[in-house]
Amino acid sequence: MSRIERLYGWFDDRLGLERSKSFLGKAFPAEDSYLLGEVALFCFLVLVLTGIFLGFFFEPSTSDVEYEGSVAEYQGEEIPEAFASVLNITYDVPFGMLIRRMHHWAAHLFVASMALHMLRVFFTGAYRNPREVNWLVGTALAGTSMFAAYTGYALPFDEFASTAVGIGYNVALSIPIVGETAAYLVFGGNFPSSATIPRFYFLHVLVLPLVIAGLLGLHMAILIRQKHTEAQRDEDLPGPERRADDDATGVAADGAGVERVDRDDDSIVAGLPAFPNQAAVSAVVFFLTLATLSLLAGFLPVHNVAQYGPNDPASTPSLIMPDWFLMWGYGFLKLVPAWMSFDLLGVHGSSEFIGGIVLTGLVFGVVAVWPFIDYEEEPVHFAADPIERPFQTAVGVAGVVFILLASLAGMDIIVADILGMTTAELKPYFIAALFAGPLAAGLTVYAGLGGFGDDAPAGEGSADEPAADGSASDAAAESPVDATDGVTDSTTDDASNDEGGDR
């Protein structure tokens, strides 16, 4: 026995390495869109690391201090300590501006990659039985991440951000019966109070990251326990038994005595083994994510707190807008008319409550319960082709159009300026578009995919079916070798699980 084998045996006796082989061989589908979840995971890692750096220098206090930094216009002035510390991080701490920018762009890319990941899951039907629980976890993760970004937005305590965050305070206060309690818990009292920034800081650096980390861990645990979804296969694949006698390309030397996996057999997953293939891919994705964030941080500036100045309760910036991923909720606030306020059994519901809580909650609610609307009795392990599901795809497109129009309404000041109109003149058009736009888009997609006719959907019998002359089969034969090579040993483990998963 060699020294390496003895060393492996030593660790195996203590750590049970042999038992982990099935996990290390777990198959990951070799499709690029499946990597969006990993991009989100790596962005969260960057957020944590850059946040730790920023935490060393940020002061969560609104008490006035005399500024002695390098920004000339504030030197010698009494400004809030939180604002002064952000100026210090940006202009005086070595690499402070770069790290602050990376933290900013990582937050945006985190939400963007998560949203795209959820869209991919939605349009491919990867939320279906038995993955409903993981879809609920992902929905909660999206909402928590947006709230985490919101709490971080207020921390510099500059004029622009604090005014925008104040809108959230009014929304929290508008909740019937429990509004004051909710506003106190989140904002520490009337916004902005001396307790607001410390409370937001506590939520932003401890509570919400722990919640996000917990949800990510739960998401990954369910993913590991279940199988990945997998795109429909073009042809039968070599079975796991074949690998032992295969050459490096996965093609058997003699081709004899080898069982093949039927293309419709979803009891196993075809893809890259977790180690070392998928681990190498993940490493590449991590460094590409890091490189992208570094480029964004190096070339694109972020919120310029020095330009806006510290919070001034006596003034209001002419243009206030939240980040893009919260813009749709801001659009609801702008579009809900005041006459929709109501009084019922002594309970008052304001337009802020309807726009900021009810409509926003309905959007998240519909997203959360969708797997139970598009319900499957039996487990489904193959991803669906959106072209072959006219209704679900039409609903998805209508939802995207709805969110885009609501976001556009949140930017009504800019739109009105471009069109030479006032925001009041523009408002009825936005309300009409919010109803008509998604309906028109959904119906168009539904009709385009053959939903109204008796004919088979457009994609059926085209891409996946082999042509009479065998051309499609030839194309399938040119698919990445990894897709067939990855019918891994772990598939035995996967086959034992009746439940599925997705990342």
Side-chain angles (χ1 to χ4, degrees):
M1 179 181 294
S2 66
R3 292 180 178 178
I4 294 179
E5 290 173 334
R6 289 202 300 273
L7 180 63
Y8 178 82
W10 189 89
F11 278 104
D12 184 37
D13 291 340
R14 289 151 183 82
L15 303 177
L17 299 181
E18 285 294 322
R19 292 195 298 272
S20 66
K21 276 188 174 180
S22 59
F23 168 72
L24 296 178
K26 182 177 177 61
F28 285 72
E31 299 176 31
D32 294 342
S33 64
Y34 281 57
L35 299 175
L36 286 166
E38 293 192 8
V39 173
L41 179 65
F42 296 143
C43 284
F44 179 70
L45 179 61
V46 173
L47 279 170
V48 171
L49 295 176
T50 54
I52 291 173
F53 177 89
L54 297 174
F56 282 120
F57 304 99
F58 179 72
E59 294 291 342
S61 171
T62 56
S63 301
D64 286 341
V65 296
E66 182 176 340
Y67 179 70
E68 298 177 346
S70 58
V71 181
E73 63 182 298
Y74 298 113
Q75 285 182 353
E77 289 192 16
E78 296 284 332
I79 58 177
E81 196 169 7
F83 182 77
S85 66
V86 175
L87 290 179
N88 183 47
I89 291 171
T90 306
Y91 299 105
D92 296 308
V93 173
F95 301 104
M97 180 181 289
L98 176 68
I99 299 299
R100 180 172 168 242
R101 287 181 177 184
M102 287 190 69
H103 191 76
H104 173 95
W105 289 119
H108 284 256
L109 188 58
F110 179 52
V111 177
S113 56
M114 195 184 313
L116 291 173
H117 177 61
M118 291 188 72
L119 285 175
R120 197 273 301 169
V121 172
F122 180 91
F123 283 109
T124 60
Y127 51 77
R128 294 174 294 175
N129 183 9
R131 300 173 182 81
E132 300 96 329
V133 175
N134 229 4
W135 175 261
L136 292 174
V137 172
T139 305
L141 191 54
T144 307
S145 301
M146 290 182 186
F147 187 52
Y150 174 78
T151 56
Y153 194 63
L155 295 184
F157 206 53
D158 63 288
E159 174 66 353
F160 184 96
S162 60
T163 305
V165 173
I167 296 172
Y169 171 74
N170 292 326
V171 172
L173 203 61
S174 71
I175 303 174
I177 302 175
V178 299
E180 290 189 7
T181 303
Y184 175 77
L185 288 175
V186 178
F187 295 88
N190 292 329
F191 180 82
S193 73
S194 59
T196 300
I197 295 302
R199 193 155 299 199
F200 267 49
Y201 184 66
F202 174 67
L203 291 171
H204 186 71
V205 305
L206 181 62
V207 178
L208 295 174
L210 284 178
V211 173
I212 293 173
L215 290 172
L216 283 172
L218 180 59
H219 187 73
M220 296 298 294
I222 296 174
L223 170 69
I224 293 171
R225 177 66 182 87
Q226 299 177 332
K227 291 187 294 187
H228 277 86
T229 53
E230 180 188 348
Q232 291 288 340
R233 299 167 189 151
D234 295 323
E235 60 177 3
D236 296 345
L237 302 175
E241 298 82 0
R242 189 175 183 174
R243 290 175 54 82
D245 300 323
D246 283 355
D247 59 19
T249 64
V251 178
D254 54 12
V258 174
E259 293 185 5
R260 294 183 68 82
V261 178
D262 188 87
R263 58 173 291 181
D264 297 322
D265 182 0
D266 65 353
S267 63
I268 66 170
V269 175
L272 302 176
F275 186 85
N277 303 54
Q278 183 60 33
V281 172
S282 298
V284 172
V285 173
F286 171 74
F287 286 113
L288 285 176
T289 303
L290 194 61
T292 301
L293 293 175
S294 299
L295 285 173
L296 290 172
F299 291 100
L300 297 180
V302 297
H303 190 67
N304 188 349
V305 295
Q307 178 182 352
Y308 293 109
N311 174 60
D312 181 4
S315 70
T316 302
S318 58
L319 179 63
I320 302 174
M321 288 191 300
D323 288 327
W324 61 269
F325 46 81
L326 298 172
M327 194 69 73
W328 56 281
Y330 190 48
F332 291 156
L333 287 174
K334 290 200 168 189
L335 292 182
V336 175
W339 58 261
M340 290 189 70
S341 300
F342 64 88
D343 290 285
L344 181 64
L345 301 176
V347 176
H348 177 69
S350 65
S351 57
E352 287 86 357
F353 170 67
I354 297 173
I357 301 295
V358 175
L359 292 182
T360 305
L362 280 175
V363 170
F364 272 102
V366 170
V367 171
V369 303
W370 179 254
F372 305 98
I373 298 174
D374 182 27
Y375 185 71
E376 294 282 351
E377 288 285 347
E378 299 296 329
V380 180
H381 297 303
F382 282 129
D385 185 347
I387 294 176
E388 297 180 355
R389 302 194 336 142
F391 176 72
Q392 292 85 348
T393 302
V395 170
V397 171
V400 171
V401 171
F402 181 75
I403 293 300
L404 289 177
L405 287 172
S407 299
L408 203 60
M411 298 183 285
D412 61 346
I413 296 178
I414 297 176
V415 177
D417 185 57
I418 294 174
L419 298 179
M421 304 170 64
T422 65
T423 55
E425 293 172 336
L426 198 59
K427 188 173 180 177
Y429 294 101
F430 270 127
I431 294 176
L434 205 58
F435 285 97
L439 184 62
L443 290 175
T444 302
V445 170
Y446 190 69
L449 297 181
F452 289 114
D454 296 330
D455 297 335
E460 191 173 43
S462 56
D464 293 334
E465 295 296 332
D469 60 3
S471 57
S473 298
D474 293 340
E478 295 173 359
S479 60
V481 173
D482 288 335
T484 55
D485 189 40
V487 180
T488 68
D489 295 337
S490 71
T491 54
T492 301
D493 176 60
D494 288 328
S496 66
N497 301 332
D498 292 334
E499 300 170 348
D502 195 32
R503 56 177 171 162

